[in-house]
Amino acid sequence: ANASGYVGVRFHPIVVSLLAGVPFVSLDQYHNGFWEASRSKTVNLLRNLDLEKFVFSRLGQQVLSPRRVLSLLEDQKIKRGNHTVLPHLTARLESFLNLIIR
């Protein structure tokens, strides 16, 4: 929750990042490219939250530079006092997760 950002390959840390308001970039290992995106649980979650631009397939990772990653992390931040949070996502994420759990 106190991280400045998360860059990684796993699904659950992305969910935790969303809940904690931590900016993230997902290096998705569940699909190779656009034609396989629908089988990725990470892509499906982020697509429903309009955050699909922060997930990269194995092919997309080949052209992803460190500068681009930092830019994507900064794009997600807004400043509120001393805290950096993702805007307006908590309610949408909780609603989406409640639909899945039912």
Side-chain angles (χ1 to χ4, degrees):
N2 294 322
S4 296
Y6 172 78
V7 179
V9 299
R10 310 299 283 175
F11 174 76
H12 291 100
I14 297 299
V15 173
V16 171
S17 294
L18 287 165
L19 290 171
V22 175
F24 65 89
V25 173
S26 174
L27 307 175
D28 193 31
Q29 299 298 301
Y30 301 106
H31 74 293
N32 287 318
F34 176 77
W35 58 93
E36 296 178 348
S38 64
R39 74 179 192 183
S40 167
K41 58 189 173 184
T42 306
V43 170
N44 288 326
L45 171 65
L46 297 179
R47 187 177 286 160
N48 279 289
L49 296 172
D50 297 324
L51 295 172
E52 193 173 1
K53 75 177 188 175
F54 301 110
V55 60
F56 292 85
S57 68
R58 290 182 192 159
L59 292 175
Q61 294 168 33
Q62 294 176 6
V63 296
L64 187 61
S65 69
R67 182 176 300 214
R68 178 75 174 129
V69 170
L70 289 174
S71 174
L72 289 166
L73 292 173
E74 285 297 319
D75 286 351
Q76 296 174 64
K77 292 181 181 180
I78 61 170
K79 299 289 184 183
R80 288 192 187 151
N82 294 329
H83 302 288
T84 302
V85 296
L86 292 173
H88 72 279
L89 283 183
T90 304
R92 288 181 66 194
L93 179 61
E94 288 176 6
S95 173
F96 180 73
L97 293 175
N98 284 334
L99 288 173
I100 293 172
I101 293 170
R102 290 181 191 181

